[in-house]
Amino acid sequence: MAPNVVFLLLDAAGANHFSCYGHGNRTTPFIDELAADGVRYERAYSNSIFSLPSYGSIFPGEYPSEHGAVDWSQRIDRNVLVSNLNDEGYATRAVSTHLVSDQFGIGDAFDNVEMVSVGSRNLVFEDDPVAEKVSEHGNKEGWSSEREKYTHFLRLLLQHPSYKSVVNGGAQLYRKKKRDWGWWDDDGGAQAVERAKSVVQDSSEPFFLFLNFVETHDPYRPPRDYIRRFIPEDVSFDEIREALEYSSVRATLGLEDINHDERDILRCLYDAEIAYVDDQIRSFHEFLERNGYAEDTVFVVVSDHGDFFGEHGLWGHQGHVYNEVCHVPLVINYPWETG
């Protein structure tokens, strides 16, 4: 029987921050194990420095100049990889926090796509008119500061008194205070893994499962337990919060300065996010082993691009094409001897 395939993509995770590619911090102990027991590709390069064109090259197998999805107004109309797997009798499934949706066309070829909600407001009461107005204003005009946001909320609350709004506002403020001290939630990674486990159990074999993670995309806010693995105790959470207020676009344009200490903090937070996702991948692989899937499953770990941290005067993933953003990890672990 044809093997199952699990295809895992870490968004914005450059090879230069994976320990199996020589990074000084031990960010990927489990992926290192997969690489040691499988195949680590040393020269895997993305076809773009941001997600949509990169996905457009991964799934259709075409250069961006061929598939044409080179800005966020485009769709990817061909998914050759998944269509071919469908023709070979695979059950094709996707559990995604990013991009695999009807809006961009990538998900059209899959038998089933489950989107994991990221950044939910998690309101105590969903039917809250004040919260809706605050959200609409933020989506339309943005906020210059948290203070402006809460001032706007209080103004609306005086105009539209509601106990639901008071409770929701208090809950959001409590969450903000928790985040100020590093108690961040993940960006859907743990939930995506749990959904993927259910999808595997509900799928006929052979199956192809695509699962992606956005934790490694900025802003880098790893769960608190991972922060101190990479950031020394003498670095305060005030300093961490200040570093996270950077704008990669403004910094790349020379409109904002990021000092050496802030750069080091951002790099460490990025490493912490990669380490967190590495643990999530370990958890999923252990599930496959416990349930008898691993011995018949090809396990693939890849990324769509990396991030700049001041190299060439660039930040995030925009500006120019350099190895720092285009050199991506590609590790394939097979259920048979590879030689």
Side-chain angles (χ1 to χ4, degrees), residues 295-306:
E295 60 189 24
D296 298 313
T297 299
V298 176
F299 208 76
V300 183
V301 178
V302 71
S303 178
D304 55 348
H305 57 79

Side-chain angles (χ1 to χ4, degrees), residues 130 133-134 137 143 147-161 165:
V130 173
K133 291 180 183 297
V134 170
H137 181 92
W143 304 104
R147 181 175 181 178
E148 181 197 10
K149 179 179 179 180
Y150 282 101
T151 301
H152 188 74
F153 167 78
L154 290 172
R155 188 182 301 118
L156 287 171
L157 185 62
L158 289 174
Q159 296 170 358
H160 309 279
S165 301

Side-chain angles (χ1 to χ4, degrees), residues 3-11 34 54-55 57-61 79 81-82 85 90-96 100 106 110 196 200 207-213 281 284 288 297-304 328-333:
N4 303 312
V5 180
V6 171
F7 192 97
L8 305 177
L9 189 148
L10 286 67
D11 193 276
L34 294 176
S54 179
Y55 274 58
S57 294
I58 289 170
F59 287 102
N79 190 331
L81 172 62
V82 174
L85 287 165
Y90 275 78
T92 53
R93 307 281 192 259
V95 177
S96 180
V100 183
I106 305 168
F110 285 91
V200 166
F207 61 79
F208 172 83
L209 171 68
F210 173 74
L211 171 62
N212 70 357
F213 299 91
I281 293 172
F284 185 62
L288 295 177
T297 299
V298 176
F299 208 76
V300 183
V301 178
V302 71
S303 178
D304 55 348
V328 295
L330 175 57
V331 171
I332 304 182
N333 188 275

